[in-house]
Amino acid sequence: RKEVEQDPGPFNVPEGATVAFNCTYSNSASQSFFWYRQDCRKEPKLLMSVYSSGNEDGRFTAQLNRASQYISLLIRDSKLSDSATYLCVVSSGYSSASKIIFGSGTRLSIRP
Amino acid sequence: DAGVTQSPTHLIKTRGQQVTLRCSPISGHKSVSWYQQVLGQGPQFIFQYYEKEERGRGNFPDRFSARQFPNYSSELNVNALLLGDSALYLCASSFVVVELSYEQYFGPGTRLTVT
């Protein structure tokens, strides 16, 4: 089992739709969680951190469920510019045991 | 402010050669991490450095090594290159180690091709 798993997609949804991605992680000691987006042949860019209480940034909402060990990303009123690959990131450990794990990404394509 | 910079942007090497990749973090950031990304996969963690000390290491062979300098810039070295080392190498900087929930910011990467 992979340490961080994402549905690879692709998700193909119409503009204006709401779309949600989940990401599961296996290490219960994981401490920090993030969502990044990556455009084709570009570097990943931080979308948002994921906090225990959940957080929202405009059309984007991130949730953390420690009991079930998953994080989610909800995109409302999707735009054409939201087309990208969305990567979840889980980090655990500290000092010499630091581990930062990226999922393989979920591809999202928004159609007009 | 300048973002994370990496050099070179592209590199072609042959099997068995050695390569050095360079990264300058965002001003004020003290932590640098290195990742390898092959097509269709997420970035794979190689190393993290904070205040010039190694703070994390991924599952990569000893052919991979890195260091961080007093100005917080970093180098990644790969010896005895294999075809499978062909990938995009990403550097990310953060103010402190990621576990303290400070976000990472990525450079544009170095695309390494091994022939």
Side-chain angles (χ1 to χ4, degrees):
Chain A
R1 182 186 173 190
K2 289 184 180 178
E3 292 183 83
V4 176
E5 292 200 71
Q6 292 184 251
D7 183 339
F11 285 64
N12 189 322
V13 302
E15 201 173 2
T18 295
V19 61
F21 312 133
N22 278 346
C23 169
T24 60
Y25 60 95
S26 61
N27 185 351
S28 60
S30 299
Q31 298 169 313
S32 301
F33 309 88
F34 308 90
W35 282 102
Y36 282 76
R37 68 169 280 166
Q38 187 171 27
D39 295 297
C40 188
R41 301 186 74 81
K42 297 284 191 181
E43 72 273 21
K45 290 190 188 297
L46 177 68
L47 183 63
M48 56 199 307
S49 301
V50 187
Y51 304 121
S52 296
S53 55
N55 47 305
E56 187 174 308
D57 183 4
R59 298 182 294 109
F60 298 84
T61 300
Q63 298 277 354
L64 167 63
N65 185 318
R66 285 192 183 272
S68 301
Q69 294 183 204
Y70 75 85
I71 63 174
S72 64
L73 177 68
L74 181 77
I75 305 175
R76 290 181 299 279
D77 188 25
S78 54
K79 312 291 185 190
L80 295 175
S81 58
D82 294 334
S83 296
T85 295
Y86 290 82
L87 300 158
C88 72
V89 181
V90 176
S91 72
S92 58
Y94 186 64
S95 70
S96 62
S98 166
K99 287 189 71 174
I100 306 163
I101 311 294
F102 275 74
S104 296
T106 297
R107 284 197 294 134
L108 173 66
S109 179
I110 308 297
R111 63 179 187 270
Chain B
D1 279 342
V4 179
T5 60
Q6 292 186 245
S7 63
T9 54
H10 295 84
L11 203 52
I12 300 174
K13 292 284 191 177
T14 57
R15 279 177 295 178
Q17 285 189 312
Q18 175 265 342
V19 67
T20 298
L21 310 181
R22 296 177 176 82
C23 170
S24 291
I26 292 170
S27 177
H29 283 193
K30 299 182 179 182
S31 179
V32 170
S33 299
W34 287 97
Y35 295 84
Q36 179 195 68
Q37 187 175 26
V38 298
L39 199 62
Q41 296 293 317
Q44 298 293 308
F45 173 62
I46 308 176
F47 288 109
Q48 182 178 54
Y49 278 78
Y50 176 61
E51 289 283 14
K52 302 177 287 295
E53 290 186 4
E54 182 183 302
R55 291 299 185 96
R57 174 185 285 255
N59 296 324
F60 280 80
D62 292 343
R63 299 184 295 107
F64 289 76
S65 63
R67 54 181 175 167
Q68 187 177 32
F69 299 100
N71 67 353
Y72 303 109
S73 67
S74 178
E75 286 182 352
L76 175 71
N77 295 286
V78 187
N79 294 323
L81 286 166
L82 303 174
L83 294 179
D85 295 331
S86 296
L88 179 67
Y89 287 84
L90 293 160
C91 171
S93 81
S94 60
F95 185 65
V96 292
V97 292
V98 175
E99 288 72 24
L100 300 181
S101 294
Y102 279 80
E103 299 91 356
Q104 294 185 99
Y105 297 88
F106 283 83
T110 293
R111 191 164 297 280
L112 172 65
T113 302
V114 182
T115 63

